[in-house]
Each structure stands twice: as C-alpha cells, then as structure tokens.
Amino acid sequence: MLIAQITDTHIKLPGRLAYKTVDTAAMLHVCVAELQQLKQRPDLILFTGDLVDLGRPEEYEHLATILAPLQQRIIAIPGNHDERGAMRAAFRAGGYLPGEGFLHFAIDDDYPFRLIGLDTLIPGEGGGELCAERLDWLDRTLGRRPGRPTLIMMHHPPFQTGIGHMDRIGLKGAARFAEIMARHPQVELILCGHLHRTIRASVGGRPALTCPSPAHQVALDLDPDAPSAFRMEPPGFMLHWWTGAGFVSHTASIGDYPGPYPFFDAEGKLID
Ligand SMILES: [Fe+2]
Ligand SMILES: [Fe+2]
C-alpha cells in the first residue's frame, strides 16, 4: 500500500499570493498533476495541516477545486493556519472528523495499519499544543489496540528541529507525548508538517518525519537566532510505502529535472 503525504499547501483566495510572493494555488496544481502521473498510484492521500492560509471557508472551497482531480480518499488534520469550524465543514463528507471538539480521530480497520490523526491547534497562535485532554485521549486510544501497527499524523512536530524561529512556534506537551510514544511500541511512524522541509528525529523511540511543502520551504539555518525566512527550494511531497512489516518513506521533488538517464548501455556495460 502506498500513501502520499502532502503538507502546508497554504491555499489563499484565488489571485492572492502567500507573503506577497508564493503562488501556492499554482504550485498545488502542479503537485496534483504530478500525483496523477506517478507510475505507482498512491492508495491514500494524507494532509498534515496548514491546508489554507487564513482558515477562511472560501479558502477551503478554493482548495477543494484544486484537489478535485484526485480520486483517492483524502484524510486531513489541522495546522496553525487552519480553523476548526471551517475545516470541519469542508471535510464533513469524509466522515472521519468528529462533529465537535478537537479534530482528532482514529481510523481502526480501513487499512493494514491503524491511522490516528491529532489536532495540535491553538486558535490564533503559530505554536501548537497537545494539552492534557488531547494527550489523555491519545494514550487511551493507543491503549485500546496495542497490537496493531499504527501511523500517527500531526502538524507540529513533537521534537526540536534546531531551526530556532520554528522551534519557538513548536509543540507544547512534547515531553509527555514522547513518554506516551515510549509506552506504545506499535507506533510505526509519526508524520508531521509545519517545517516545510524533510527532517527526521526519534521521539520516545519512534521515528518522526516532517515533509516538504509543494510550495515554499523554510530556510535551512540551524542558528537559534536565525531570521524567520523561507526559500523557493524544490517543492515536494512524500510517499510512504507500507511493506507489510513497516513503512519506508521517500521524498519526491516536484518539477521538471533532466533524466532519467540509464546507468548501463544496451550491452549491459556501465556507461563510463
Ligand atoms: Fe505551514
Ligand atoms: Fe504550520
């Protein structure tokens, strides 16, 4: 089974650019076209937050028109740029978001693994939080199916990245989250967004990843006082292959690049 992860699409009203620079809608159109042309078709698409830029219902409508060509099921959790009410309404037809409260959920039996979505949103803030109520829900939910391989998706990564301005809008509650991860070894992988680039860390012994954006990327600068900045590095998405025994994750760069070139000639000799 193959999962495509898309994150931080930051869709605005038609014609508006993010930070007066990034045409996020045009870039998501390109991403959607690439997904449709993949040789191996993803079975499921996960969105890990910051779907729209200002949380407005009209932005979710714009997002839906861009995603319309995709036939796969789309499962989404909110980021700090999303708004619970507007997102709940926009994704109501998916049937997995609860009707009230936090936008967290567990999909137990639809896939060969269990899928848990978390809501790290604090309305009006850039940083995120897993408060006691959300962490208790997660601990209880994991405790119900300890033997089932589990994939967790959440927007704010539960680890320090070293990119100072992003860590300052990181996740509150990360220490207890790590302690919960250590007690639930069935968690195979934690998928995150928010960082607009690929980063890997270990959280309570479980692997955690952030994913590039199909639009702008957060600048790679590990100075704790680095200025808050983005770069137009190659946009991307991730593919997570469920092998039956675990997940293998790939980053895909969006765009036209030279190649593919063969390594070997027609006689099977290495080209040199
Ligand atoms: Fe974002
Ligand atoms: Fe974010």
Side-chain angles (χ1 to χ4, degrees):
M1 178 171 174
L2 193 61
I3 300 166
Q5 180 187 4
I6 304 175
T7 199
D8 292 86
T9 46
H10 288 261
I11 295 302
K12 298 180 75 72
L13 297 177
R16 300 295 294 258
L17 303 180
Y19 313 107
K20 294 193 165 65
T21 302
V22 190
D23 192 341
T24 53
M27 295 184 86
L28 183 56
H29 274 295
V30 176
C31 176
V32 167
E34 289 220 3
L35 281 172
Q36 289 184 288
Q37 287 161 16
L38 282 175
K39 278 175 79 177
Q40 290 79 35
R41 185 180 185 275
D43 302 288
L44 172 66
I45 298 177
L46 303 181
F47 271 77
T48 39
D50 287 357
L51 283 76
V52 302
D53 204 41
L54 299 174
R56 295 182 184 161
E58 301 80 13
E59 292 179 334
Y60 289 100
E61 285 169 25
H62 189 201
L63 173 69
T65 63
I66 301 170
L67 299 182
L70 296 172
Q71 298 302 305
Q72 294 95 332
R73 186 181 189 190
I74 292 174
I75 293 179
I77 45 117
N80 48 298
H81 286 258
D82 292 297
E83 198 280 316
R84 281 197 190 103
M87 183 166 163
R88 197 190 313 272
F91 286 85
R92 182 166 287 137
Y96 57 89
L97 289 177
E100 57 183 28
F102 297 117
L103 299 179
H104 54 203
F105 54 86
I107 298 175
D108 288 342
D109 298 312
D110 291 6
Y111 308 108
F113 47 85
R114 198 172 184 219
L115 178 60
I116 292 180
L118 298 181
D119 173 345
T120 57
L121 178 60
I122 308 172
E125 292 193 22
E129 179 174 28
L130 287 176
C131 56
E133 185 181 349
R134 283 174 270 190
L135 287 166
D136 288 345
W137 178 88
L138 174 64
D139 201 11
R140 263 197 327 273
T141 301
L142 285 168
R144 272 203 290 273
R145 301 285 291 271
R148 186 144 167 83
T150 299
L151 177 63
I152 292 178
M153 55 192 292
M154 58 197 291
H155 182 66
H156 295 82
F159 57 85
Q160 286 239 308
T161 66
I163 301 176
H165 65 93
M166 293 304 289
D167 288 340
R168 281 192 286 281
I169 53 166
L171 182 74
K172 292 181 202 161
R176 197 178 149 214
F177 177 86
E179 184 258 317
I180 292 169
M181 291 300 100
R183 284 191 283 105
H184 295 285
Q186 78 269 26
V187 175
E188 292 281 344
L189 185 59
I190 303 159
L191 300 180
C192 312
H194 195 49
L195 264 294
H196 295 234
R197 60 185 312 108
T198 306
I199 308 171
R200 190 266 178 204
S202 181
V203 177
R206 316 274 86 82
L209 292 172
T210 66
C211 176
S213 167
H216 50 297
Q217 315 304 316
V218 170
L220 176 57
D221 186 343
L222 302 183
D223 184 335
D225 298 318
S228 175
F230 63 87
R231 292 186 71 194
M232 300 314 288
E233 292 177 26
F237 58 89
M238 293 190 88
L239 290 176
H240 307 288
W241 171 42
W242 171 254
T243 65
F247 289 100
V248 175
S249 297
H250 296 263
T251 297
S253 292
I254 299 168
D256 285 327
Y257 301 94
Y261 302 107
F263 288 109
F264 298 95
D265 66 16
E267 280 80 52
K269 277 180 56 189
L270 190 68
I271 297 170
D272 183 23

